[in-house]
Amino acid sequence: MNQNIEKALNAQIGFELYSAYLYMAMTSYLKSINLNGFAHWMEIQTKEELAHALKLFNYVTERGGSVVFETLKKPRNKWESPTEVFKDALEHEQIVTSKIHEIVDLALKEKDHTTNAHMQWYLNEQVEEESNVLGIYQQLKFADNSPQALLMFDRELAQRVFVDPNAATAAGQNKIN
Ligand code: FEO
């Protein structure tokens, strides 16, 4: 595997794991203020990040590369409100998107068409990730600390269901095998 690509993908695996770390910290905060629907939504977001890391991990190892883990940065642990949590989450997702763009740029520069193709899934996923978080952030701002609106929203977010993006791949592989 191209060394520059391997290094960039390793860094991205670490960043996806850090994303899970950050979202788990947010889950803990949301639980601490008894917004359990918001906490449930964020717990699923944590699982999504772990799945993003695993999908890249599988890709690197399947291409004959090595995954090397680095120290994860300590995430922020306290917020003032759920609105501030989702503002942070939106900013975080925008950083993730820029990192995915950098990997695609690198893959094009190195003429690594397979990595470019693999990263297209992440590009599309980021559209959804940013849109989900932006939607919640905007609705929270609209609710403007109304306890009634917040509790209704909390019930709605409690309905989120985790869909593992790696499960479809595994099922497809089983079919081929
Ligand atoms: Fe893995 Fe939320 O981006």
Side-chain angles (χ1 to χ4, degrees), residues 16 20 23 37 39-55 121 125 128-129 132 156-169:
E16 299 289 351
Y23 291 152
H40 169 79
W41 192 96
M42 199 55 88
E43 186 178 331
I44 288 185
Q45 195 62 21
T46 304
K47 288 180 186 167
E48 290 235 344
E49 299 306 342
L50 292 173
H52 294 169
L54 182 61
K55 191 174 174 71
W121 182 89
E125 178 74 358
E128 193 185 312
E129 293 274 282
N132 287 343
E156 187 187 324
L157 293 183
Q159 307 302 316
R160 187 179 187 190
V161 176
F162 176 59
V163 180
D164 186 351
N166 295 306
T169 313

PDB file of all heavy atoms in Angstrom, residues 16 20 23 37 39-55 121 125 128-129 132 156-169:
ATOM      1  N   GLU A  16     -11.519   9.084  13.683  1.00  0.00           N
ATOM      2  CA  GLU A  16     -12.865   8.500  13.846  1.00  0.00           C
ATOM      3  C   GLU A  16     -13.015   7.960  15.271  1.00  0.00           C
ATOM      4  O   GLU A  16     -14.081   8.093  15.884  1.00  0.00           O
ATOM      5  CB  GLU A  16     -13.106   7.383  12.821  1.00  0.00           C
ATOM      6  CG  GLU A  16     -13.033   7.798  11.353  1.00  0.00           C
ATOM      7  CD  GLU A  16     -14.201   8.666  10.879  1.00  0.00           C
ATOM      8  OE1 GLU A  16     -15.178   8.836  11.633  1.00  0.00           O
ATOM      9  OE2 GLU A  16     -14.119   9.197   9.764  1.00  0.00           O
ATOM     10  N   ALA A  20     -15.648   9.120  18.268  1.00  0.00           N
ATOM     11  CA  ALA A  20     -16.437   8.267  19.170  1.00  0.00           C
ATOM     12  C   ALA A  20     -16.204   8.680  20.626  1.00  0.00           C
ATOM     13  O   ALA A  20     -17.150   8.741  21.432  1.00  0.00           O
ATOM     14  CB  ALA A  20     -16.054   6.798  18.969  1.00  0.00           C
ATOM     15  N   TYR A  23     -18.075  11.915  21.260  1.00  0.00           N
ATOM     16  CA  TYR A  23     -19.532  11.738  21.319  1.00  0.00           C
ATOM     17  C   TYR A  23     -19.950  10.943  22.555  1.00  0.00           C
ATOM     18  O   TYR A  23     -21.047  11.121  23.073  1.00  0.00           O
ATOM     19  CB  TYR A  23     -20.041  11.099  20.022  1.00  0.00           C
ATOM     20  CG  TYR A  23     -19.919  12.032  18.827  1.00  0.00           C
ATOM     21  CD1 TYR A  23     -19.760  11.551  17.545  1.00  0.00           C
ATOM     22  CD2 TYR A  23     -19.961  13.417  19.000  1.00  0.00           C
ATOM     23  CE1 TYR A  23     -19.646  12.422  16.459  1.00  0.00           C
ATOM     24  CE2 TYR A  23     -19.843  14.290  17.929  1.00  0.00           C
ATOM     25  CZ  TYR A  23     -19.682  13.783  16.664  1.00  0.00           C
ATOM     26  OH  TYR A  23     -19.566  14.648  15.599  1.00  0.00           O
ATOM     27  N   GLY A  37     -33.258  10.988  25.712  1.00  0.00           N
ATOM     28  CA  GLY A  37     -33.455  10.818  24.268  1.00  0.00           C
ATOM     29  C   GLY A  37     -32.283  11.405  23.492  1.00  0.00           C
ATOM     30  O   GLY A  37     -31.768  10.791  22.557  1.00  0.00           O
ATOM     31  N   ALA A  39     -29.330  11.761  24.739  1.00  0.00           N
ATOM     32  CA  ALA A  39     -28.193  10.886  25.077  1.00  0.00           C
ATOM     33  C   ALA A  39     -28.219   9.627  24.213  1.00  0.00           C
ATOM     34  O   ALA A  39     -27.178   9.176  23.722  1.00  0.00           O
ATOM     35  CB  ALA A  39     -28.237  10.522  26.559  1.00  0.00           C
ATOM     36  N   HIS A  40     -29.417   9.080  23.997  1.00  0.00           N
ATOM     37  CA  HIS A  40     -29.558   7.884  23.163  1.00  0.00           C
ATOM     38  C   HIS A  40     -29.099   8.196  21.727  1.00  0.00           C
ATOM     39  O   HIS A  40     -28.363   7.408  21.117  1.00  0.00           O
ATOM     40  CB  HIS A  40     -31.020   7.441  23.154  1.00  0.00           C
ATOM     41  CG  HIS A  40     -31.324   6.391  22.146  1.00  0.00           C
ATOM     42  ND1 HIS A  40     -31.024   5.050  22.338  1.00  0.00           N
ATOM     43  CD2 HIS A  40     -31.866   6.473  20.881  1.00  0.00           C
ATOM     44  CE1 HIS A  40     -31.378   4.369  21.256  1.00  0.00           C
ATOM     45  NE2 HIS A  40     -31.883   5.210  20.364  1.00  0.00           N
ATOM     46  N   TRP A  41     -29.524   9.340  21.219  1.00  0.00           N
ATOM     47  CA  TRP A  41     -29.127   9.736  19.855  1.00  0.00           C
ATOM     48  C   TRP A  41     -27.603   9.823  19.771  1.00  0.00           C
ATOM     49  O   TRP A  41     -26.980   9.334  18.823  1.00  0.00           O
ATOM     50  CB  TRP A  41     -29.766  11.088  19.506  1.00  0.00           C
ATOM     51  CG  TRP A  41     -29.672  11.453  18.064  1.00  0.00           C
ATOM     52  CD1 TRP A  41     -30.618  11.256  17.108  1.00  0.00           C
ATOM     53  CD2 TRP A  41     -28.541  12.053  17.400  1.00  0.00           C
ATOM     54  NE1 TRP A  41     -30.158  11.703  15.891  1.00  0.00           N
ATOM     55  CE2 TRP A  41     -28.896  12.201  16.030  1.00  0.00           C
ATOM     56  CE3 TRP A  41     -27.285  12.481  17.812  1.00  0.00           C
ATOM     57  CZ2 TRP A  41     -28.037  12.758  15.093  1.00  0.00           C
ATOM     58  CZ3 TRP A  41     -26.429  13.023  16.867  1.00  0.00           C
ATOM     59  CH2 TRP A  41     -26.804  13.158  15.533  1.00  0.00           C
ATOM     60  N   MET A  42     -27.007  10.429  20.787  1.00  0.00           N
ATOM     61  CA  MET A  42     -25.549  10.622  20.766  1.00  0.00           C
ATOM     62  C   MET A  42     -24.808   9.301  20.980  1.00  0.00           C
ATOM     63  O   MET A  42     -23.705   9.109  20.461  1.00  0.00           O
ATOM     64  CB  MET A  42     -25.165  11.661  21.822  1.00  0.00           C
ATOM     65  CG  MET A  42     -23.818  12.282  21.605  1.00  0.00           C
ATOM     66  SD  MET A  42     -23.586  13.039  19.959  1.00  0.00           S
ATOM     67  CE  MET A  42     -24.196  14.693  20.216  1.00  0.00           C
ATOM     68  N   GLU A  43     -25.415   8.385  21.709  1.00  0.00           N
ATOM     69  CA  GLU A  43     -24.796   7.062  21.888  1.00  0.00           C
ATOM     70  C   GLU A  43     -24.753   6.337  20.539  1.00  0.00           C
ATOM     71  O   GLU A  43     -23.761   5.680  20.207  1.00  0.00           O
ATOM     72  CB  GLU A  43     -25.603   6.249  22.913  1.00  0.00           C
ATOM     73  CG  GLU A  43     -24.935   4.929  23.263  1.00  0.00           C
ATOM     74  CD  GLU A  43     -25.712   4.160  24.312  1.00  0.00           C
ATOM     75  OE1 GLU A  43     -26.396   4.778  25.157  1.00  0.00           O
ATOM     76  OE2 GLU A  43     -25.648   2.916  24.280  1.00  0.00           O
ATOM     77  N   ILE A  44     -25.805   6.497  19.762  1.00  0.00           N
ATOM     78  CA  ILE A  44     -25.805   5.877  18.426  1.00  0.00           C
ATOM     79  C   ILE A  44     -24.765   6.562  17.537  1.00  0.00           C
ATOM     80  O   ILE A  44     -24.075   5.906  16.747  1.00  0.00           O
ATOM     81  CB  ILE A  44     -27.224   5.923  17.818  1.00  0.00           C
ATOM     82  CG1 ILE A  44     -28.077   4.919  18.587  1.00  0.00           C
ATOM     83  CG2 ILE A  44     -27.207   5.628  16.318  1.00  0.00           C
ATOM     84  CD1 ILE A  44     -29.455   4.730  18.081  1.00  0.00           C
ATOM     85  N   GLN A  45     -24.613   7.865  17.723  1.00  0.00           N
ATOM     86  CA  GLN A  45     -23.583   8.586  16.964  1.00  0.00           C
ATOM     87  C   GLN A  45     -22.194   8.023  17.309  1.00  0.00           C
ATOM     88  O   GLN A  45     -21.330   7.880  16.443  1.00  0.00           O
ATOM     89  CB  GLN A  45     -23.674  10.085  17.277  1.00  0.00           C
ATOM     90  CG  GLN A  45     -22.927  10.978  16.312  1.00  0.00           C
ATOM     91  CD  GLN A  45     -23.453  10.884  14.887  1.00  0.00           C
ATOM     92  OE1 GLN A  45     -24.583  10.463  14.658  1.00  0.00           O
ATOM     93  NE2 GLN A  45     -22.617  11.234  13.932  1.00  0.00           N
ATOM     94  N   THR A  46     -22.003   7.706  18.580  1.00  0.00           N
ATOM     95  CA  THR A  46     -20.739   7.086  19.017  1.00  0.00           C
ATOM     96  C   THR A  46     -20.513   5.767  18.266  1.00  0.00           C
ATOM     97  O   THR A  46     -19.419   5.498  17.755  1.00  0.00           O
ATOM     98  CB  THR A  46     -20.780   6.810  20.540  1.00  0.00           C
ATOM     99  OG1 THR A  46     -21.061   8.027  21.223  1.00  0.00           O
ATOM    100  CG2 THR A  46     -19.490   6.213  21.041  1.00  0.00           C
ATOM    101  N   LYS A  47     -21.580   4.949  18.187  1.00  0.00           N
ATOM    102  CA  LYS A  47     -21.456   3.657  17.497  1.00  0.00           C
ATOM    103  C   LYS A  47     -21.154   3.869  16.013  1.00  0.00           C
ATOM    104  O   LYS A  47     -20.408   3.101  15.399  1.00  0.00           O
ATOM    105  CB  LYS A  47     -22.762   2.860  17.637  1.00  0.00           C
ATOM    106  CG  LYS A  47     -22.989   2.320  19.031  1.00  0.00           C
ATOM    107  CD  LYS A  47     -24.298   1.556  19.079  1.00  0.00           C
ATOM    108  CE  LYS A  47     -24.609   1.123  20.507  1.00  0.00           C
ATOM    109  NZ  LYS A  47     -25.992   0.658  20.661  1.00  0.00           N
ATOM    110  N   GLU A  48     -21.749   4.907  15.441  1.00  0.00           N
ATOM    111  CA  GLU A  48     -21.479   5.202  14.024  1.00  0.00           C
ATOM    112  C   GLU A  48     -20.002   5.503  13.811  1.00  0.00           C
ATOM    113  O   GLU A  48     -19.394   5.063  12.844  1.00  0.00           O
ATOM    114  CB  GLU A  48     -22.304   6.414  13.565  1.00  0.00           C
ATOM    115  CG  GLU A  48     -23.775   6.122  13.464  1.00  0.00           C
ATOM    116  CD  GLU A  48     -24.353   6.435  12.088  1.00  0.00           C
ATOM    117  OE1 GLU A  48     -23.702   7.148  11.325  1.00  0.00           O
ATOM    118  OE2 GLU A  48     -25.451   5.934  11.809  1.00  0.00           O
ATOM    119  N   GLU A  49     -19.428   6.276  14.736  1.00  0.00           N
ATOM    120  CA  GLU A  49     -18.004   6.636  14.600  1.00  0.00           C
ATOM    121  C   GLU A  49     -17.114   5.403  14.721  1.00  0.00           C
ATOM    122  O   GLU A  49     -16.131   5.262  13.992  1.00  0.00           O
ATOM    123  CB  GLU A  49     -17.607   7.697  15.619  1.00  0.00           C
ATOM    124  CG  GLU A  49     -18.359   8.997  15.500  1.00  0.00           C
ATOM    125  CD  GLU A  49     -18.297   9.623  14.107  1.00  0.00           C
ATOM    126  OE1 GLU A  49     -17.433   9.264  13.308  1.00  0.00           O
ATOM    127  OE2 GLU A  49     -19.148  10.474  13.835  1.00  0.00           O
ATOM    128  N   LEU A  50     -17.469   4.507  15.644  1.00  0.00           N
ATOM    129  CA  LEU A  50     -16.693   3.265  15.779  1.00  0.00           C
ATOM    130  C   LEU A  50     -16.794   2.455  14.486  1.00  0.00           C
ATOM    131  O   LEU A  50     -15.812   1.857  14.033  1.00  0.00           O
ATOM    132  CB  LEU A  50     -17.200   2.449  16.969  1.00  0.00           C
ATOM    133  CG  LEU A  50     -16.947   3.067  18.353  1.00  0.00           C
ATOM    134  CD1 LEU A  50     -17.646   2.264  19.440  1.00  0.00           C
ATOM    135  CD2 LEU A  50     -15.448   3.162  18.655  1.00  0.00           C
ATOM    136  N   ALA A  51     -17.987   2.477  13.886  1.00  0.00           N
ATOM    137  CA  ALA A  51     -18.185   1.748  12.620  1.00  0.00           C
ATOM    138  C   ALA A  51     -17.376   2.393  11.495  1.00  0.00           C
ATOM    139  O   ALA A  51     -16.815   1.696  10.642  1.00  0.00           O
ATOM    140  CB  ALA A  51     -19.674   1.718  12.258  1.00  0.00           C
ATOM    141  N   HIS A  52     -17.296   3.733  11.502  1.00  0.00           N
ATOM    142  CA  HIS A  52     -16.476   4.416  10.483  1.00  0.00           C
ATOM    143  C   HIS A  52     -15.006   4.003  10.623  1.00  0.00           C
ATOM    144  O   HIS A  52     -14.318   3.771   9.632  1.00  0.00           O
ATOM    145  CB  HIS A  52     -16.560   5.943  10.643  1.00  0.00           C
ATOM    146  CG  HIS A  52     -17.924   6.515  10.377  1.00  0.00           C
ATOM    147  ND1 HIS A  52     -18.260   7.806  10.676  1.00  0.00           N
ATOM    148  CD2 HIS A  52     -19.039   5.939   9.827  1.00  0.00           C
ATOM    149  CE1 HIS A  52     -19.526   8.019  10.326  1.00  0.00           C
ATOM    150  NE2 HIS A  52     -20.023   6.903   9.819  1.00  0.00           N
ATOM    151  N   ALA A  53     -14.547   3.945  11.886  1.00  0.00           N
ATOM    152  CA  ALA A  53     -13.150   3.552  12.133  1.00  0.00           C
ATOM    153  C   ALA A  53     -12.921   2.104  11.677  1.00  0.00           C
ATOM    154  O   ALA A  53     -11.916   1.798  11.023  1.00  0.00           O
ATOM    155  CB  ALA A  53     -12.821   3.706  13.618  1.00  0.00           C
ATOM    156  N   LEU A  54     -13.868   1.235  11.989  1.00  0.00           N
ATOM    157  CA  LEU A  54     -13.720  -0.187  11.650  1.00  0.00           C
ATOM    158  C   LEU A  54     -13.722  -0.400  10.130  1.00  0.00           C
ATOM    159  O   LEU A  54     -12.948  -1.221   9.611  1.00  0.00           O
ATOM    160  CB  LEU A  54     -14.847  -0.997  12.307  1.00  0.00           C
ATOM    161  CG  LEU A  54     -14.792  -2.501  12.088  1.00  0.00           C
ATOM    162  CD1 LEU A  54     -13.505  -3.098  12.670  1.00  0.00           C
ATOM    163  CD2 LEU A  54     -16.008  -3.184  12.717  1.00  0.00           C
ATOM    164  N   LYS A  55     -14.565   0.353   9.456  1.00  0.00           N
ATOM    165  CA  LYS A  55     -14.634   0.216   7.989  1.00  0.00           C
ATOM    166  C   LYS A  55     -13.285   0.588   7.354  1.00  0.00           C
ATOM    167  O   LYS A  55     -12.805  -0.097   6.454  1.00  0.00           O
ATOM    168  CB  LYS A  55     -15.752   1.130   7.462  1.00  0.00           C
ATOM    169  CG  LYS A  55     -16.138   0.935   6.013  1.00  0.00           C
ATOM    170  CD  LYS A  55     -17.347   1.806   5.691  1.00  0.00           C
ATOM    171  CE  LYS A  55     -17.697   1.768   4.217  1.00  0.00           C
ATOM    172  NZ  LYS A  55     -18.261   0.479   3.790  1.00  0.00           N
ATOM    173  N   TRP A 121     -17.638   6.680  -0.223  1.00  0.00           N
ATOM    174  CA  TRP A 121     -18.656   6.328   0.782  1.00  0.00           C
ATOM    175  C   TRP A 121     -18.611   7.345   1.929  1.00  0.00           C
ATOM    176  O   TRP A 121     -19.650   7.809   2.413  1.00  0.00           O
ATOM    177  CB  TRP A 121     -18.403   4.903   1.322  1.00  0.00           C
ATOM    178  CG  TRP A 121     -19.444   4.479   2.302  1.00  0.00           C
ATOM    179  CD1 TRP A 121     -20.624   3.846   2.029  1.00  0.00           C
ATOM    180  CD2 TRP A 121     -19.416   4.686   3.730  1.00  0.00           C
ATOM    181  NE1 TRP A 121     -21.333   3.659   3.189  1.00  0.00           N
ATOM    182  CE2 TRP A 121     -20.622   4.159   4.248  1.00  0.00           C
ATOM    183  CE3 TRP A 121     -18.508   5.255   4.615  1.00  0.00           C
ATOM    184  CZ2 TRP A 121     -20.926   4.184   5.615  1.00  0.00           C
ATOM    185  CZ3 TRP A 121     -18.815   5.294   5.973  1.00  0.00           C
ATOM    186  CH2 TRP A 121     -20.006   4.761   6.461  1.00  0.00           C
ATOM    187  N   GLU A 125     -21.388   9.929   3.300  1.00  0.00           N
ATOM    188  CA  GLU A 125     -21.751   9.793   4.715  1.00  0.00           C
ATOM    189  C   GLU A 125     -21.645  11.146   5.417  1.00  0.00           C
ATOM    190  O   GLU A 125     -22.471  11.489   6.257  1.00  0.00           O
ATOM    191  CB  GLU A 125     -20.822   8.758   5.387  1.00  0.00           C
ATOM    192  CG  GLU A 125     -21.031   8.542   6.869  1.00  0.00           C
ATOM    193  CD  GLU A 125     -22.297   7.741   7.210  1.00  0.00           C
ATOM    194  OE1 GLU A 125     -23.046   7.375   6.285  1.00  0.00           O
ATOM    195  OE2 GLU A 125     -22.510   7.522   8.409  1.00  0.00           O
ATOM    196  N   GLU A 128     -24.658  13.365   5.155  1.00  0.00           N
ATOM    197  CA  GLU A 128     -25.702  12.949   6.101  1.00  0.00           C
ATOM    198  C   GLU A 128     -25.338  13.349   7.532  1.00  0.00           C
ATOM    199  O   GLU A 128     -26.173  13.849   8.286  1.00  0.00           O
ATOM    200  CB  GLU A 128     -25.876  11.433   5.988  1.00  0.00           C
ATOM    201  CG  GLU A 128     -27.115  10.908   6.656  1.00  0.00           C
ATOM    202  CD  GLU A 128     -27.148   9.381   6.617  1.00  0.00           C
ATOM    203  OE1 GLU A 128     -26.917   8.809   5.539  1.00  0.00           O
ATOM    204  OE2 GLU A 128     -27.376   8.786   7.676  1.00  0.00           O
ATOM    205  N   GLU A 129     -24.077  13.127   7.889  1.00  0.00           N
ATOM    206  CA  GLU A 129     -23.630  13.434   9.254  1.00  0.00           C
ATOM    207  C   GLU A 129     -23.816  14.924   9.566  1.00  0.00           C
ATOM    208  O   GLU A 129     -24.354  15.286  10.603  1.00  0.00           O
ATOM    209  CB  GLU A 129     -22.148  13.072   9.414  1.00  0.00           C
ATOM    210  CG  GLU A 129     -21.842  11.597   9.327  1.00  0.00           C
ATOM    211  CD  GLU A 129     -21.986  10.888  10.654  1.00  0.00           C
ATOM    212  OE1 GLU A 129     -21.098  10.991  11.498  1.00  0.00           O
ATOM    213  OE2 GLU A 129     -23.025  10.219  10.831  1.00  0.00           O
ATOM    214  N   ASN A 132     -27.660  15.872   9.662  1.00  0.00           N
ATOM    215  CA  ASN A 132     -28.338  15.419  10.891  1.00  0.00           C
ATOM    216  C   ASN A 132     -28.049  16.352  12.058  1.00  0.00           C
ATOM    217  O   ASN A 132     -28.955  16.784  12.777  1.00  0.00           O
ATOM    218  CB  ASN A 132     -27.864  14.009  11.291  1.00  0.00           C
ATOM    219  CG  ASN A 132     -28.417  12.944  10.380  1.00  0.00           C
ATOM    220  OD1 ASN A 132     -29.378  13.190   9.655  1.00  0.00           O
ATOM    221  ND2 ASN A 132     -27.804  11.765  10.409  1.00  0.00           N
ATOM    222  N   GLU A 156     -38.517  12.458  20.650  1.00  0.00           N
ATOM    223  CA  GLU A 156     -38.315  12.165  19.221  1.00  0.00           C
ATOM    224  C   GLU A 156     -36.934  11.544  18.984  1.00  0.00           C
ATOM    225  O   GLU A 156     -36.794  10.548  18.266  1.00  0.00           O
ATOM    226  CB  GLU A 156     -38.458  13.480  18.448  1.00  0.00           C
ATOM    227  CG  GLU A 156     -38.444  13.307  16.944  1.00  0.00           C
ATOM    228  CD  GLU A 156     -38.417  14.665  16.232  1.00  0.00           C
ATOM    229  OE1 GLU A 156     -39.053  15.625  16.725  1.00  0.00           O
ATOM    230  OE2 GLU A 156     -37.722  14.751  15.205  1.00  0.00           O
ATOM    231  N   LEU A 157     -35.922  12.104  19.625  1.00  0.00           N
ATOM    232  CA  LEU A 157     -34.552  11.606  19.389  1.00  0.00           C
ATOM    233  C   LEU A 157     -34.334  10.218  19.997  1.00  0.00           C
ATOM    234  O   LEU A 157     -33.440   9.485  19.576  1.00  0.00           O
ATOM    235  CB  LEU A 157     -33.529  12.606  19.930  1.00  0.00           C
ATOM    236  CG  LEU A 157     -33.478  13.952  19.197  1.00  0.00           C
ATOM    237  CD1 LEU A 157     -32.380  14.837  19.760  1.00  0.00           C
ATOM    238  CD2 LEU A 157     -33.271  13.775  17.694  1.00  0.00           C
ATOM    239  N   ALA A 158     -35.184   9.868  20.947  1.00  0.00           N
ATOM    240  CA  ALA A 158     -35.090   8.534  21.572  1.00  0.00           C
ATOM    241  C   ALA A 158     -35.431   7.427  20.575  1.00  0.00           C
ATOM    242  O   ALA A 158     -35.138   6.249  20.814  1.00  0.00           O
ATOM    243  CB  ALA A 158     -36.032   8.460  22.776  1.00  0.00           C
ATOM    244  N   GLN A 159     -36.032   7.802  19.431  1.00  0.00           N
ATOM    245  CA  GLN A 159     -36.465   6.790  18.446  1.00  0.00           C
ATOM    246  C   GLN A 159     -35.341   6.352  17.501  1.00  0.00           C
ATOM    247  O   GLN A 159     -35.519   5.432  16.718  1.00  0.00           O
ATOM    248  CB  GLN A 159     -37.603   7.352  17.561  1.00  0.00           C
ATOM    249  CG  GLN A 159     -38.782   7.920  18.315  1.00  0.00           C
ATOM    250  CD  GLN A 159     -39.422   6.909  19.224  1.00  0.00           C
ATOM    251  OE1 GLN A 159     -39.618   5.763  18.842  1.00  0.00           O
ATOM    252  NE2 GLN A 159     -39.695   7.305  20.454  1.00  0.00           N
ATOM    253  N   ARG A 160     -34.191   7.038  17.559  1.00  0.00           N
ATOM    254  CA  ARG A 160     -33.135   6.728  16.576  1.00  0.00           C
ATOM    255  C   ARG A 160     -32.687   5.266  16.674  1.00  0.00           C
ATOM    256  O   ARG A 160     -32.508   4.736  17.778  1.00  0.00           O
ATOM    257  CB  ARG A 160     -31.929   7.654  16.793  1.00  0.00           C
ATOM    258  CG  ARG A 160     -30.883   7.502  15.702  1.00  0.00           C
ATOM    259  CD  ARG A 160     -29.691   8.427  15.883  1.00  0.00           C
ATOM    260  NE  ARG A 160     -28.828   8.354  14.726  1.00  0.00           N
ATOM    261  CZ  ARG A 160     -27.626   8.887  14.643  1.00  0.00           C
ATOM    262  NH1 ARG A 160     -27.137   9.580  15.658  1.00  0.00           N
ATOM    263  NH2 ARG A 160     -26.890   8.760  13.551  1.00  0.00           N
ATOM    264  N   VAL A 161     -32.487   4.650  15.519  1.00  0.00           N
ATOM    265  CA  VAL A 161     -32.062   3.242  15.461  1.00  0.00           C
ATOM    266  C   VAL A 161     -30.687   3.180  14.781  1.00  0.00           C
ATOM    267  O   VAL A 161     -30.455   3.858  13.770  1.00  0.00           O
ATOM    268  CB  VAL A 161     -33.090   2.409  14.648  1.00  0.00           C
ATOM    269  CG1 VAL A 161     -32.618   0.974  14.480  1.00  0.00           C
ATOM    270  CG2 VAL A 161     -34.456   2.455  15.313  1.00  0.00           C
ATOM    271  N   PHE A 162     -29.796   2.371  15.334  1.00  0.00           N
ATOM    272  CA  PHE A 162     -28.460   2.225  14.757  1.00  0.00           C
ATOM    273  C   PHE A 162     -28.477   1.244  13.586  1.00  0.00           C
ATOM    274  O   PHE A 162     -28.962   0.117  13.727  1.00  0.00           O
ATOM    275  CB  PHE A 162     -27.478   1.736  15.831  1.00  0.00           C
ATOM    276  CG  PHE A 162     -26.092   1.454  15.309  1.00  0.00           C
ATOM    277  CD1 PHE A 162     -25.348   2.456  14.700  1.00  0.00           C
ATOM    278  CD2 PHE A 162     -25.531   0.186  15.426  1.00  0.00           C
ATOM    279  CE1 PHE A 162     -24.071   2.212  14.208  1.00  0.00           C
ATOM    280  CE2 PHE A 162     -24.244  -0.071  14.953  1.00  0.00           C
ATOM    281  CZ  PHE A 162     -23.518   0.955  14.344  1.00  0.00           C
ATOM    282  N   VAL A 163     -27.953   1.683  12.457  1.00  0.00           N
ATOM    283  CA  VAL A 163     -27.806   0.793  11.300  1.00  0.00           C
ATOM    284  C   VAL A 163     -26.306   0.659  11.057  1.00  0.00           C
ATOM    285  O   VAL A 163     -25.635   1.649  10.745  1.00  0.00           O
ATOM    286  CB  VAL A 163     -28.504   1.378  10.050  1.00  0.00           C
ATOM    287  CG1 VAL A 163     -28.338   0.445   8.857  1.00  0.00           C
ATOM    288  CG2 VAL A 163     -29.984   1.630  10.339  1.00  0.00           C
ATOM    289  N   ASP A 164     -25.786  -0.544  11.246  1.00  0.00           N
ATOM    290  CA  ASP A 164     -24.339  -0.756  11.146  1.00  0.00           C
ATOM    291  C   ASP A 164     -23.905  -0.794   9.676  1.00  0.00           C
ATOM    292  O   ASP A 164     -24.295  -1.705   8.938  1.00  0.00           O
ATOM    293  CB  ASP A 164     -23.987  -2.087  11.839  1.00  0.00           C
ATOM    294  CG  ASP A 164     -22.481  -2.309  11.899  1.00  0.00           C
ATOM    295  OD1 ASP A 164     -21.727  -1.538  11.266  1.00  0.00           O
ATOM    296  OD2 ASP A 164     -22.076  -3.263  12.584  1.00  0.00           O
ATOM    297  N   PRO A 165     -23.090   0.182   9.241  1.00  0.00           N
ATOM    298  CA  PRO A 165     -22.683   0.182   7.828  1.00  0.00           C
ATOM    299  C   PRO A 165     -21.789  -1.005   7.470  1.00  0.00           C
ATOM    300  O   PRO A 165     -21.663  -1.355   6.299  1.00  0.00           O
ATOM    301  CB  PRO A 165     -21.914   1.505   7.683  1.00  0.00           C
ATOM    302  CG  PRO A 165     -21.495   1.880   9.051  1.00  0.00           C
ATOM    303  CD  PRO A 165     -22.526   1.301   9.992  1.00  0.00           C
ATOM    304  N   ASN A 166     -21.186  -1.623   8.471  1.00  0.00           N
ATOM    305  CA  ASN A 166     -20.315  -2.778   8.195  1.00  0.00           C
ATOM    306  C   ASN A 166     -21.100  -4.081   8.090  1.00  0.00           C
ATOM    307  O   ASN A 166     -20.586  -5.058   7.566  1.00  0.00           O
ATOM    308  CB  ASN A 166     -19.242  -2.907   9.281  1.00  0.00           C
ATOM    309  CG  ASN A 166     -18.306  -1.719   9.257  1.00  0.00           C
ATOM    310  OD1 ASN A 166     -17.720  -1.395   8.234  1.00  0.00           O
ATOM    311  ND2 ASN A 166     -18.201  -1.020  10.385  1.00  0.00           N
ATOM    312  N   ALA A 167     -22.331  -4.090   8.582  1.00  0.00           N
ATOM    313  CA  ALA A 167     -23.124  -5.322   8.552  1.00  0.00           C
ATOM    314  C   ALA A 167     -23.442  -5.717   7.116  1.00  0.00           C
ATOM    315  O   ALA A 167     -23.354  -6.887   6.748  1.00  0.00           O
ATOM    316  CB  ALA A 167     -24.407  -5.145   9.339  1.00  0.00           C
ATOM    317  N   ALA A 168     -23.777  -4.718   6.270  1.00  0.00           N
ATOM    318  CA  ALA A 168     -24.118  -5.003   4.874  1.00  0.00           C
ATOM    319  C   ALA A 168     -22.912  -5.595   4.153  1.00  0.00           C
ATOM    320  O   ALA A 168     -23.022  -6.564   3.408  1.00  0.00           O
ATOM    321  CB  ALA A 168     -24.553  -3.716   4.184  1.00  0.00           C
ATOM    322  N   THR A 169     -21.715  -5.041   4.440  1.00  0.00           N
ATOM    323  CA  THR A 169     -20.481  -5.540   3.811  1.00  0.00           C
ATOM    324  C   THR A 169     -20.239  -6.991   4.217  1.00  0.00           C
ATOM    325  O   THR A 169     -19.960  -7.846   3.388  1.00  0.00           O
ATOM    326  CB  THR A 169     -19.273  -4.690   4.282  1.00  0.00           C
ATOM    327  OG1 THR A 169     -19.638  -3.330   4.174  1.00  0.00           O
ATOM    328  CG2 THR A 169     -18.050  -4.965   3.447  1.00  0.00           C
TER     329      THR A 169
END
